[in-house]
Each structure stands twice: as structure tokens, then as C-alpha cells.
Amino acid sequence: MNKQLYIHEIQALFDDVQRSEVFEDQKMMTDAVPLFPVEEINAKYEAEKQSENFNLKEFVLSNFDFLGAKISIQRENHLPIEEHIEKLWDELTRTAYEEKGTLLKLPKPYVVPGGRFNEFFYWDSYYIMLGLQVSGRVEMMENIIENCSYLIQNVGFVPNASRTHFLSRSQPPYFSLMLDLLFETTKDENIYIRYYDTLEKEYAFWMNGTQKLENGSAVNRVVKTIHGDVLNRYYDAENIPRPESYLIDIEDSENAGEEFYRNIRSACESGWDFSSRWFADGEHIQTIETLNLAEVDLNCLLWHLEKTLAKSSSLQKLNEKEIDYSERAAKRRQIIDQYFWDETSGTYKDYHIQKNTNTASEHIAALYPLFLKIASEDQAKAVAKIIEEKFLYQGGLVTTTQNTGQQWDFPNAWAPYQWLGYQSMKNYGFDDLAEKIKNNWCSNVERVYKNTGKLMEKYNALDIETVAGGGEYPNQDGFGWTNGVYLKLKKN
């Protein structure tokens, strides 16, 4: 197959397969690799589906390859957790030197999350790199950066994951942080110069449409407030059901607003799919309004990108560019404080573009200004107090204070925020709280591993006797970012 499979090329068949729930997991069909030219499969389907004995599942299985659809980790002996993770790095390594089905081609090997996720994921890869650093796997860290750069150069951004149906959205922009991590490891400043063009291209993607903005309007990933300040938001170019959660989206869309699908997809760009953070009523997915929000985490990450561009410009003696990016970063730092700091509650919150006020949702993304050292000492102290009182439980840090059954809500603890929490507290000298975050979560990971032999995608922070749940699919075993954060925290 020279031709990549875009889902819309088999839309009629795809729609029937997903609506008929041929597979328990809707992602199965998106990952399928056609065994014959797509035109041939379509023609065969149209001809055969009318027959009395037609079996849809048999048709799909005889026309598509499902090899590697799910990664299953088998262990005969129960290794110590660190040894298990070292073996996992190799088992979770994949290559995609050619395009297959929906899978995008990448120049270098990469580490996948695990379970049902058998492709390259953007923000997951940063947290995977934390563990690769501890394991001394510098070449794989470089591979991840090289793959991100390849995607930014060829697609214009790093897609959510390396499949064709993710070409309408990205994920939190971590590329500049990846460079910092590699620099911390190799002390080679040249990486900032080598990937300068890539940094600029990614920045252009996130800022695209700024020139067209009028006060109080939004386009793509940029918004201009009524005061004339430019902030960023998560966004997806498509307003159709997600192929990987097709039937779920169609069912959820009943009694929902016009741009329901785009709001759903835009939340996916944040990595938080899904959470009460995005819901107008704080409870129901039908009220999702991601497009109306500018997010604190995204704007902090773009501040870091601007700072990195200023640094890279300085290294190359590009004085005008250094001044430009430094000014952009200084302005963004000021508006992060202006729009995301909520004095009343003493924490950072997202900003509602239509209502010109902070949203009600209390969530763990408030850590980003501390993680990147944007917060003042007083702000950090106030956030630390809330983190300890409302977010820290026996099994780690929860993401929100709302229990809705969504996987990015209470009581789940996710690996990225344990690292962000630990590092944020260390940055401002709250060492005891940092240790507590580290120990609570690592103990939970160790307990689950001892009982199951698995490293999970997420954990239950409240009831440490239970495996975490919620969301659109069961908890996954693998698991890239858990492995990475666990190793990094244990080393610190």
C-alpha cells in the first residue's frame, strides 16, 4: 500500500462498522491496515453487503490487518519494578519507516504509551523522556525530538498522535521543554540552534490567525480579549465525530450544542479528554465549551516556547529576533498573571472568553505557573496550600475536585501531574510537600505493580485498594508516562 488510509476514504464501511460495534474498542477500526487497495475494498463492500449471509465482522477481518492493535505485556516472573521498566522501554519501542493504514511515517524509532495506544503521542513523549534520561537512553530522547521536528517540518505541528485522523489537532506544546531536558542531559547548547527553525514553525502554528483578530474574537488557537490582549486556546480544525470514539461522540451529541464535536476534539488537544474543566455546568459532557476558554497550561507552555526562541536567537546573535521574542514572553507573563490568577480563590484558573472572567473549575493545571517559575512567591504559597488541602490524597494528586465519572476528574491521579506537582513545590522551597506528593504516588504505583504486575495509565488517588476508572475505555497497561515519571521521581 503506497497510499495512506484516511478514514473518509472508507467512510461508508467505517460508519457501518462503528455503529454496529463490531469491535469493543472503536479505536480498533481506526488502526486497521487495508490488505487491498481501498477502492477495491469499497467496491467489494458495496457488492457483498446486500447478500443474505453477509457478516460485517468477517468482511473486515478478511480485508484489514489488525496486527499490533494492542500491546500486551507478559511476564513469567515478577521482576523488581525498575527492572520491569527497563525491559518495557524495549517492548514499547516501535518504528514506522513507511506509512501503513492511518499510521504516519516517522524517521526514528519511538516509545509508545502501551495498551491500546500503539503510536507516537506528543505530550506523553516528554514524560517518557524523563524516564529515558534516568535510564541513560539518550539516543531515544534524541529520536523523540527528531520525530517531533520531522512532524513540525512536514505537517506544521506535532499531531495529537502519529495517525492521519489526528492531523486536525496537536497536544500541549512540549517541544521546547523536550529540548531543555536533552540539554540538561548532554549540556549541548547547539540543540537550541539546530531546532530553531522547528521552534519557530511550531510557534507559528499556535499563533496562526493573530493578525485577523479583533477585540473579543477568536480564530483557530488564538483569542483577543475585550482589552486587546492575545491569549491561546485549544482548538481542532474538524467538527465531526472522532473516528477513534465515533459512536460515543454521536451518542453524546444528542441534546448538545452546534459545535459539540469541535469542542470535544479541542479538549482532546489539551490531553484532558475528558474533564469537568470543560463543562459549562461542571457535570455533563453535553455542555462542553472548550472553545470558549483560554487555558492556563497552554499559555504557560507558549511562554516557555517564546523564552526558548529568545534564548536560541541570542545564541545565534539574532538581536532583533531576540528582542521580539523576549518582549512577547514578557507580555505573556504579564497577561498570565492578569487573566489566569484568581485572587479570590488563591489559585490559577482558566479564562472564559465570552464571560470575561475565570471559570469555576479548580484543577491541577494551576501548577504550570509554578512548574515554569512564573508565579510570585505569594502566589506559589497560595497554590501550594490549595494543592495540599484539596488535591493531595493517599495515592497522589488528583486533577480536579469534581467526581463526574470522567477520567480526568477526581479521584484519578495521572503521572504528568505528579511530576509537575513535585517539581513545582521544589521550585519554591516546599520540600516537605514535594516529598509527600512523590511518596504518595510512588507507593500507589508500587502497590498496584505488586498486586497486578502492571504499570497503569492512571491511578485512583483516594481509594488505594482500587484500580482507577472512568472515561471511554478501560485502564491501560504499559505505561509510558507512568514508567518515566516513576523513575524520575525515585531518582530525585
Side-chain angles (χ1 to χ4, degrees), residues 48 145 241 300 318 340:
E48 291 177 21
I145 286 171
C300 288
L318 301 169
F340 301 112

Side-chain angles (χ1 to χ4, degrees), residues 170-400:
S170 185
Q171 265 193 335
Y174 266 83
F175 185 70
S176 56
L177 278 162
M178 289 176 175
L179 296 186
D180 279 1
L181 197 57
L182 186 60
F183 172 68
E184 188 188 293
T185 313
T186 63
K187 301 293 180 263
D188 178 12
E189 263 189 342
N190 285 323
I191 56 161
Y192 294 107
I193 298 169
R194 192 181 318 141
Y195 291 108
Y196 183 64
D197 184 45
T198 304
L199 288 164
E200 283 208 307
K201 271 203 168 78
E202 180 168 54
Y203 187 63
F205 166 76
W206 286 96
M207 301 309 292
N208 179 31
T210 311
Q211 299 75 12
K212 302 174 196 167
L213 284 179
E214 294 173 10
N215 288 11
S217 70
V219 64
N220 303 332
R221 291 162 178 82
V222 280
V223 303
K224 193 175 263 191
T225 68
I226 51 168
H227 308 294
D229 295 311
V230 175
L231 294 168
N232 287 80
R233 66 173 180 174
Y234 292 114
Y235 179 82
D236 187 301
E238 298 273 9
N239 187 33
I240 53 177
R242 292 168 297 151
E244 72 279 14
S245 300
Y246 193 75
L247 191 59
I248 295 167
D249 282 359
I250 289 168
E251 288 171 350
D252 283 344
S253 72
E254 289 172 28
N255 307 314
E258 267 177 45
E259 287 207 293
F260 175 77
Y261 296 131
R262 200 192 305 278
N263 276 297
I264 283 284
R265 288 163 159 270
S266 302
C268 293
E269 185 166 80
S270 77
W272 286 47
D273 39 339
F274 293 101
S275 163
S276 56
R277 178 184 181 185
W278 313 122
F279 305 161
D281 70 355
E283 286 181 41
H284 303 100
I285 201 163
Q286 285 76 14
T287 70
I288 192 165
E289 58 167 354
T290 323
L291 295 168
N292 288 334
L293 313 178
E295 294 88 357
V296 61
D297 45 357
L298 176 57
N299 284 274
C300 288
L301 288 167
L302 287 167
W303 171 84
H304 186 271
L305 178 49
E306 288 161 347
K307 288 286 283 184
T308 307
L309 279 161
K311 177 182 181 172
S312 178
S313 301
S314 168
L315 287 169
Q316 297 170 87
K317 311 240 177 328
L318 301 169
N319 296 342
E320 281 182 28
K321 285 200 167 185
E322 183 192 352
I323 290 165
D324 180 38
Y325 287 122
S326 295
E327 285 174 353
R328 286 168 182 259
K331 173 65 176 169
R332 192 178 297 263
R333 186 175 191 148
Q334 176 242 312
I335 62 177
I336 284 169
D337 197 48
Q338 183 182 337
Y339 289 95
F340 301 112
W341 176 251
D342 180 34
E343 192 66 52
T344 313
S345 58
T347 190
Y348 292 92
K349 291 184 171 182
D350 297 326
Y351 185 76
H352 199 290
I353 306 153
Q354 310 296 329
K355 296 176 181 172
N356 306 308
T357 186
N358 292 110
T359 59
S361 175
E362 283 186 314
H363 55 73
I364 199 82
L367 286 168
Y368 274 85
L370 282 70
F371 178 64
L372 297 172
K373 301 181 188 172
I374 295 170
S376 70
E377 295 291 334
D378 285 347
Q379 286 169 327
K381 199 172 176 181
V383 172
K385 185 172 186 286
I386 284 177
I387 293 295
E388 186 158 30
E389 287 174 3
K390 294 190 175 183
F391 289 85
L392 183 58
Y393 286 83
Q394 200 175 347
L397 290 171
V398 295
T399 42
T400 73

Side-chain angles (χ1 to χ4, degrees), residues 422-460:
Y422 174 83
Q423 194 56 51
S424 296
M425 297 312 133
K426 294 296 278 187
N427 285 345
Y428 290 87
F430 305 121
D431 293 352
D432 290 349
L433 182 51
E435 285 302 308
K436 210 182 281 185
I437 291 166
K438 165 184 161 177
N439 293 334
N440 287 17
W441 184 74
C442 286
S443 303
N444 199 1
V445 171
E446 288 157 5
R447 175 192 60 80
V448 172
Y449 179 69
K450 187 180 171 207
N451 292 342
T452 66
K454 295 178 178 184
L455 285 140
M456 298 294 193
E457 182 191 17
K458 55 186 178 275
Y459 292 84
N460 188 316

Side-chain angles (χ1 to χ4, degrees), residues 131-146:
L132 295 172
Q133 182 191 46
V134 175
S135 296
R137 297 183 181 232
V138 182
E139 189 182 348
M140 186 57 86
M141 293 174 73
E142 291 169 339
N143 289 345
I144 287 170
I145 286 171
E146 192 58 31

